[in-house]
Amino acid sequence: MERRRPISELMTGDFTVAETRDPETGITVLVDDDGAPAGLVRAGQAGPAHVVEADTPVTDVLDSADLLHALVSGTPGLVIVREGGIVGVVTAEAIKAEIVDAASSGLVSGPQLGDAQPYGRRTEVGSSRIRCAECGKTNTFRRFSQAGRYKCQYGDHDFVPYWNG
């Protein structure tokens, strides 16, 4: 039986936690007043904090259509948590490398055509948390698209992501 590696094996501990956006640092996890993830900034690229539990299997992340959509849309990475606390970040590049590695190993010795579940099936592995620039509250989304329009979950106003405020 194949060992199901946890996503925490791909994470980096080289990140900072801050309440405000600082584009000069490497990787910054933005947090709300309660210390929960509210955004992720890397090399000036800002996006949602896609929160994933540390013990989530890598295969579940690769199978999540929502997370793959977010990574293709430019999200800088995933915020990894354990018991509610932030323990690391998995960069988009690390996930992309896992996809390439899984695909290439499957070509050599893996499942035959039609045997495998394709990447991007509907696996629930986490949520996207984004601070609203209008009110400062963190909204939670199952799937977030920058092209979409949303109402803030904490008031009668349009949701504006922190990076557009």
Side-chain angles (χ1 to χ4, degrees):
M1 178 179 221
E2 179 184 332
R3 180 177 157 252
R4 293 178 48 107
R5 292 184 309 141
I7 192 68
S8 59
E9 287 187 9
L10 303 180
M11 73 183 183
T12 178
D14 187 18
F15 68 96
T16 58
V17 174
E19 290 186 10
T20 60
R21 181 178 172 183
D22 181 4
E24 301 304 318
T25 61
I27 302 173
T28 301
V29 178
L30 298 178
V31 294
D32 59 19
D33 295 339
D34 297 327
L40 183 64
V41 181
R42 180 171 180 228
Q45 181 183 12
H50 291 283
V51 180
V52 178
E53 286 290 330
D55 60 352
T56 301
V58 172
T59 53
D60 286 1
V61 172
L62 297 182
D63 287 343
S64 170
D66 295 333
L67 289 179
L68 293 179
H69 174 266
L71 294 169
V72 168
S73 299
T75 295
L78 308 175
V79 177
I80 308 304
V81 297
R82 182 176 288 119
E83 297 177 10
I86 301 166
V87 295
V89 172
V90 176
T91 64
E93 291 78 14
I95 297 295
K96 291 172 186 174
E98 278 296 308
I99 291 170
V100 169
D101 186 50
S104 64
S105 67
L107 291 175
V108 176
S109 62
Q112 300 300 309
L113 184 62
D115 288 350
Q117 178 71 270
Y119 294 120
R121 67 182 162 89
R122 292 279 178 205
T123 300
E124 297 285 332
V125 296
S127 59
S128 299
R129 296 177 46 85
I130 310 168
R131 182 183 299 157
C132 178
E134 291 289 315
C135 66
K137 298 288 187 181
T138 302
N139 286 241
T140 303
F141 301 90
R142 189 181 130 261
R143 185 174 194 177
F144 178 81
S145 171
Q146 292 193 38
R149 291 189 58 144
Y150 304 91
K151 283 287 188 194
C152 181
Q153 297 163 359
Y154 295 93
D156 192 22
H157 61 273
D158 287 338
F159 173 77
V160 178
Y162 69 91
W163 58 84
N164 288 341

